[in-house]
Every structure is written in structure tokens, then in C-alpha cells.
Amino acid sequence: MESLESRRSQVAEYFSEAVADDDTLVQECMTMCKMYNLTVENLSYKWQALSYSNTNSLAIFSHKSIPDLKARLQQELDRQNAAKQEFPSRGSAGLFGRGPGRGVITRGRAGRTLDTGLKRGAILPSMIKQEAPRFSGIKVVFQGPKSDEQSRKMKVRYSPTVLLEASLRHGGLVLDDRIDEFAELVQRHYHVDEFADPNAATEEVTTVVGRMVHDAEVSGSGAKFNESSLVLESSRMMGSGVRIPIHLAPEFKVRGGIKGVGGISFFPGAIVALRGRNGGGGFFLAEEALSLPPAKISPSPPTASDTSFSMCIACGPFSSDSDLEYKPWASLLEKVKASKPAVILLLGPFVDVTNSRIKDGDTDETPQQLFERQFTEKFQDVFLHSPGSQILLVPSINDMISDHVVFPQCELPPGLSMDIVTHPPTSKSLSLFHQWSSFAVTSVDTLFHLRKEEFFRRAPDVEPLVPTSEPATDGIANLARNIFQQRSFYPIFPPPLDVAHEVNLDVTHSDGTRLMESEDECLPDVLVLPSRLKQFAKVVDSTTVVNPSSLSKGSYAILSYDGQGSGLAKDRITADISKI
């Protein structure tokens, strides 16, 4: 039998000295190891995976952590036991259960139980709200983790095994949850009594919700999404995660879409709701698509002259690919110092990893030194000429100055530049101007990726939504509309193979790509989507969508807001594309 000191040394090695000093925690660890046939090392990995999957961070093991870890270990044991025997009515007590012969969602049932994330204990990360100084009545509010010394000490080391285990398991749960969340939206909006399993044969017309995926044979060849390669993947709750080919009926139509759009977009990762039947032929025949419920629109802001502002929006690279002279950036600085905009929004990359000089190592400066010389020092000059301006920085995964190269990505490291507000590259909490207008920003080229993958199927409208003004129905507007409907900065999954390196998508952090945190939030008044597609600024539904292109191509955007105007924010915002 192991001695207490032997157990304590193992706990100290794989958890921490603080945990090993607590006899109760040591005893609990040993009990769980014995009960679930684990080593102390594997138990520590199980705890780290639980903490990481629930909060996207790691927390110190404590007394409050014990119930969570025991519950998760018991869940895993139950699933292992269930896999060894037939279990015909899996999840029948949950909201997303399966009825006889097919998966259904039935209103009024108890909450979901299978694989529900545990939110108890001391594993939730501490968050704080920070406010930038007020200038000209402008206020920027954003949320992020604490960066003080004590918070940094709470971070613990974890092994790649933990990340792999959490990613494989939690990634699947995240994708499943997304389907189930949209199923609830569709159910409430269209008053659907129940959803069917698309793989179950039936003579009745049924409603199904799932994610569009590529046909395996077609996707392997790199072919673009098309009508013959449509496949629907259900969630594990509604259809055991089964994939089934989708055939569109000749009389296929779209219900509840915006009048004049004249069809629906399909692309890998898109969540769709379809009505039709599976006649037993190995496919689901879709007769109708139910457009996803529209998100809320911001109410008309009050009239106030002190809320008028101007804004400059520029996206990197800020230098040509062949040098590090930053001439386009220098030209923009002269215009900024002359025009004195209230806000200067800059999107990375600031020090571009794809720059030929950087790739060849043809520079004597570190990325941080280059950033300090070309940006931080220049920012001080801007403040001298325009002390009322604010500068907002949004990094890119191609930024050499960022130590986080997956999407969604965190903000730039603290202390890199003083008196500058930095945001992660999916900034949806960027609320400006007394919070009467909201902005959403991403540095990933979502528009180009969508254009590569989108298959637009024209179809007649049924009971369309009639907008107050003529809607934009061109191809670019439809791409932006996909982002609104899917409520995501990056709704594609998986990313196109040939451009996957441009996004490095981390599914386990998909909450960071949400366009809105909840259905109670409204669509942003301005959505900034930098892209290699041609630059533009246009109103799509109620949102002003801006693609400033890149400054290295000589293009940036100027936006102004008239606080004395009337109507919705889109009626008070003017956005133009300018040349340096």
C-alpha cells in the first residue's frame, strides 16, 4: 500500500504543491483514482481537460472542484458502459431527446442532460470591464481577462495531451450545441412542434435542422459546394450525428426570407432548417427551406449633437510585400493628423509574417522593435496633433507581434503600446459614442472564404419578410447576410483547404466567433469585414458593412455619424472608401 507521503508527492508533481499540502484534497484524489481506475497523472489530465473545455482556461484544483470532476468522471464512465450495450431511447428525458423511431425536439420537456457542461466550482475565469479615457464624449467598453500579477499566478501549466483530449471531445460538443441552439430559435419562430431525425424514413412531411457538410467523395477532390454534394449532419441529440444526402425538390422554395433575395445560400458549416421527407431512398428530399429567424435590430438612437463623430478604418498589411518601409502607413498618418478623426480603428497584420523581408529574415529588428518604431512612436505624434482621438488596435493571426496564431485570437499583449486600446480580432463588444451605436470587427477574410464555398440556390419566396427599404440583393450583400443569419464572424466549417492557414480555426473556442452573445442582443450597426475582394461600403438590411481592403493596396475607409439625424443608426452613418 502506498504511503501518505508517496501519494502526496504524486499529487504535488501533477497538481501543485498547494494541493499536496491539503490532506483532504490528497485523499479525494486517491479515492477518485481508485474508483475510476486512474493514475494520479491521468486524473490531473482529466481535471485540466474539464477546466479547459468549460472555460477555455485552466484553474487551480480546489475543494469546490471535486464535485465537478467526480460528475465528469461518472459521465465518462456511464458513456463507456452505454457504448457496450444497445441503448434505444438515449436522452429521452431531455429537451433534445429521441422519440420512437426518430429524433425529436418537443416543447415543454425538461432541460438537456447529455454532455451538459458543468459550470460550478472555482473554474470560471475572472473577467473585468475596462474603460478607455473619455474624449469628445466617446466611450469604449470592452471585456477581457484580468492581467494583474495575482491573476497571472493562478494560471497553471498543462500538457499537449490535455489540449488534444479537450479539443477532440469539446470540439464535437461545441458543433453539436450550435445545431441545437439554432433548432430552438427555429422552433420558437416557426412554432414547430417537433424536429425529426432526417435519417428516419417517413411518409409525413417533417422538419429537420442540421449543419451542411460536403459529400465525402466530392470534398476530397476539392470541388466547390454544389447541389449534388449537399449533405446534412444532424446533432447527436436529434439524429445521432448521422449524415444524409440532401436532394432539393423541383418545387423547392424558401419560407421567411427577405423579400427580393430570391434564394438561399448553402456552404459547409451553415446551419439550415428544411422541410421534406425521407422516403427510404437513402436521402432527404427537401421541399422547403425555413430561413433562420432574423436577429433584432437596434432601436433608433436619440438625437444629440454631442454624439456626432468621424472615424478612420484601415487594415493591414501597412507596408508593401517587398519592403518594411511602411510608406502607405506614413501617407495615412499625414491624412489622419490633418483630419483629426475621433476614432482610428486599425486592423492587423501590423508586422506581417508573410512579408518577404520577414520570411527571408532580412531585417535587424525584432518584430516588437519594428512595431515600436513604426507604430507606437507614430501614435504619440498623432496624439500631439489630435489629443481627442482614440486609437483601437485589432490584431491578425499573421501578426508577428502576437503570440496567439489561431482564430478566435486574443488581443495584443499588454504593455506592447501605451495608451492604446487593443481588441481581439472578433470584437463585438466595441461600443462607441455613448453606446448609441455598436460596431463589430474581425480581421479574418470571411467574405473571400464564403465566396469560395457558397452555393446560392435560387428559389421562390413564401411569406417573405418585407423590409422598410429596398434590400441589397447582390452577391456581396448575400455574403454579409450569411454572417448575420448564422450569428458568427466565421460560419464556415471546415475552412476551405487552400486558405485554412489564413484562419487556423479553433472550434473549441467557437464562442469567441459569435456575432452576438445572446438573442437579446441586436445586430451591430456597423460590421467591418476586411477582404481581398473589392473594397466597398454598403447598407445590408440594418447594418452598414465596410470592407476597407488593405492599406498596402492604397485603400481605407472614412465613416461619419450624424448625431443630429433621425431614424435608425444606418440612416445617420455615412461610410466612404478613400485612397491614400
Side-chain angles (χ1 to χ4, degrees):
M1 178 179 292
E2 288 183 304
S3 66
L4 178 61
E5 288 307 314
S6 175
R7 296 174 180 178
R8 197 185 303 277
S9 65
Q10 293 181 56
V11 172
E13 178 180 358
Y14 295 110
F15 283 88
S16 70
E17 293 287 350
V19 175
D21 289 340
D22 190 317
D23 291 341
T24 303
L25 288 179
V26 173
Q27 185 59 45
E28 288 288 351
C29 289
M30 293 302 107
T31 301
M32 285 186 282
C33 287
K34 184 177 180 180
M35 183 179 299
Y36 297 102
N37 194 27
L38 298 171
T39 64
V40 176
E41 180 181 10
N42 286 337
L43 181 68
S44 71
Y45 290 162
K46 294 290 185 182
W47 159 244
Q48 293 172 16
L50 169 64
S51 175
Y52 181 84
S53 64
N54 281 338
T55 66
N56 295 332
S57 64
L58 298 173
I60 299 296
F61 187 72
S62 67
H63 289 277
K64 293 182 179 180
S65 311
I66 295 172
D68 289 342
L69 183 55
K70 284 184 175 179
R72 177 53 60 88
L73 293 174
Q74 188 61 46
Q75 274 187 337
E76 293 180 355
L77 181 61
D78 292 342
R79 283 200 294 268
Q80 291 172 5
N81 292 335
K84 298 176 182 178
Q85 56 184 320
E86 290 187 1
F87 193 35
S89 58
R90 174 171 65 96
S92 59
L95 176 62
F96 294 85
R98 298 190 68 197
R102 66 186 183 189
V104 300
I105 298 181
T106 305
R107 290 180 290 179
R109 295 188 180 179
R112 57 198 297 182
T113 59
L114 182 63
D115 289 340
T116 301
L118 300 173
K119 297 298 183 183
R120 299 173 297 168
I123 61 177
L124 294 177
S126 300
M127 303 291 287
I128 61 171
K129 283 189 176 182
Q130 306 178 41
E131 296 187 5
R134 296 170 183 251
F135 294 117
S136 305
I138 301 173
K139 183 179 180 181
V140 179
V141 180
F142 66 97
Q143 212 171 25
K146 291 181 178 180
S147 57
D148 57 273
E149 187 66 24
Q150 183 62 30
S151 297
R152 287 197 294 269
K153 288 181 179 179
M154 291 297 290
K155 296 182 179 179
V156 296
R157 177 180 57 84
Y158 63 97
S159 70
T161 305
V162 174
L163 183 59
L164 178 60
E165 179 181 348
S167 297
L168 292 177
R169 182 174 55 81
H170 185 55
L173 296 178
V174 168
L175 294 173
D176 258 17
D177 286 346
R178 181 169 167 77
I179 297 175
D180 296 340
E181 288 173 10
F182 275 92
E184 291 180 350
L185 291 178
V186 172
Q187 185 178 50
R188 291 196 299 266
H189 185 74
Y190 290 100
H191 307 291
V192 178
D193 289 328
E194 64 179 24
F195 290 103
D197 179 350
N199 198 50
T202 175
E203 292 300 323
E204 304 174 355
V205 174
T206 60
T207 304
V208 300
V209 175
R211 175 186 300 102
M212 299 306 303
V213 297
H214 247 312
D215 180 274
E217 296 180 0
V218 176
S219 62
S221 65
K224 186 178 178 179
F225 218 46
N226 57 69
E227 188 165 342
S228 63
S229 65
L230 300 180
V231 176
L232 185 75
E233 178 183 85
S234 62
S235 72
R236 284 179 287 181
M237 294 293 186
M238 289 190 287
S240 303
V242 172
R243 295 183 175 186
I244 185 168
I246 298 296
H247 292 184
L248 304 182
E251 65 279 8
F252 179 77
K253 50 189 177 292
V254 178
R255 182 178 299 274
I258 295 177
K259 185 176 182 180
V261 173
I264 185 172
S265 294
F266 295 104
F267 54 87
I271 307 298
V272 297
L274 303 172
R275 285 181 54 80
R277 57 172 59 87
N278 182 342
F283 62 88
F284 186 87
L285 182 64
E287 301 173 2
E288 184 176 278
L290 304 180
S291 291
L292 296 179
K296 292 182 179 180
I297 297 176
S298 299
S300 299
T303 299
S305 60
D306 61 349
T307 60
S308 298
F309 69 90
S310 61
M311 183 177 190
C312 174
I313 306 173
C315 179
F318 292 85
S319 183
S320 65
D321 178 66
S322 59
D323 62 54
L324 294 173
E325 299 299 323
Y326 285 84
K327 293 180 179 179
W329 168 233
S331 298
L332 178 64
L333 281 173
E334 295 304 316
K335 293 181 177 292
V336 165
K337 288 187 289 186
S339 60
K340 298 179 175 57
V343 178
I344 303 167
L345 174 61
L346 303 177
L347 291 77
F350 300 98
V351 181
D352 188 7
V353 69
T354 66
N355 184 284
S356 59
R357 293 275 300 277
I358 295 289
K359 289 192 294 185
D360 295 339
D362 187 16
T363 176
D364 295 328
E365 294 178 293
T366 66
Q368 289 73 19
Q369 290 171 338
L370 186 59
F371 179 83
E372 290 291 332
R373 180 170 62 86
Q374 292 291 355
F375 290 94
T376 305
E377 294 177 8
K378 305 291 177 62
F379 292 155
Q380 304 307 321
D381 191 31
V382 171
F383 289 138
L384 288 176
H385 287 80
S386 181
S389 295
Q390 289 192 62
I391 300 177
L392 311 180
L393 304 184
V394 178
S396 159
I397 64 169
N398 283 337
D399 261 312
M400 289 285 290
I401 55 173
S402 174
D403 54 8
H404 199 83
V405 292
V406 297
F407 183 80
Q409 180 185 16
C410 63
E411 59 268 22
L412 290 174
L416 186 64
S417 54
M418 302 302 294
D419 302 321
I420 309 297
V421 180
T422 65
H423 285 271
T426 53
S427 293
K428 48 194 173 294
S429 57
L430 178 56
S431 300
L432 306 178
F433 325 118
H434 297 298
Q435 299 184 3
W436 300 134
S437 297
S438 60
F439 282 56
V441 181
T442 180
S443 58
V444 169
D445 194 348
T446 306
L447 290 177
F448 181 75
H449 293 192
L450 275 172
R451 170 62 66 85
K452 286 180 64 67
E453 294 293 286
E454 181 196 37
F455 162 60
F456 186 80
R457 173 58 149 79
R458 296 205 168 274
D461 297 328
V462 177
E463 299 180 356
L465 300 176
V466 181
T468 55
S469 58
E470 189 69 20
T473 58
D474 57 278
I476 293 295
N478 286 333
L479 294 180
R481 195 170 282 118
N482 288 331
I483 295 174
F484 300 155
Q485 292 180 340
Q486 299 290 322
R487 276 86 161 163
S488 174
F489 283 102
Y490 196 84
I492 311 167
F493 181 81
L497 284 176
D498 56 337
V499 291
H501 63 282
E502 296 179 357
V503 60
N504 292 340
L505 183 64
D506 182 359
V507 177
T508 63
H509 289 72
S510 290
D511 281 351
T513 67
R514 291 177 181 265
L515 188 62
M516 297 164 292
E517 292 291 349
S518 70
E519 285 304 306
D520 293 330
E521 292 188 17
C522 299
L523 282 173
D525 297 312
V526 177
L527 176 60
V528 181
L529 298 172
S531 174
R532 72 194 71 179
L533 300 179
K534 186 175 180 178
Q535 63 273 10
F536 67 86
K538 65 172 60 184
V539 175
V540 180
D541 301 339
S542 65
T543 300
T544 301
V545 183
V546 180
N547 168 22
S549 189
S550 67
L551 196 65
S552 62
K553 295 181 179 178
S555 173
Y556 67 101
I558 293 294
L559 186 145
S560 59
Y561 178 89
D562 183 5
Q564 292 183 307
S566 60
L568 298 174
K570 69 180 180 67
D571 301 317
R572 307 185 185 193
I573 294 173
T574 302
D576 298 296
I577 303 299
S578 300
K579 295 292 184 178
I580 57 174

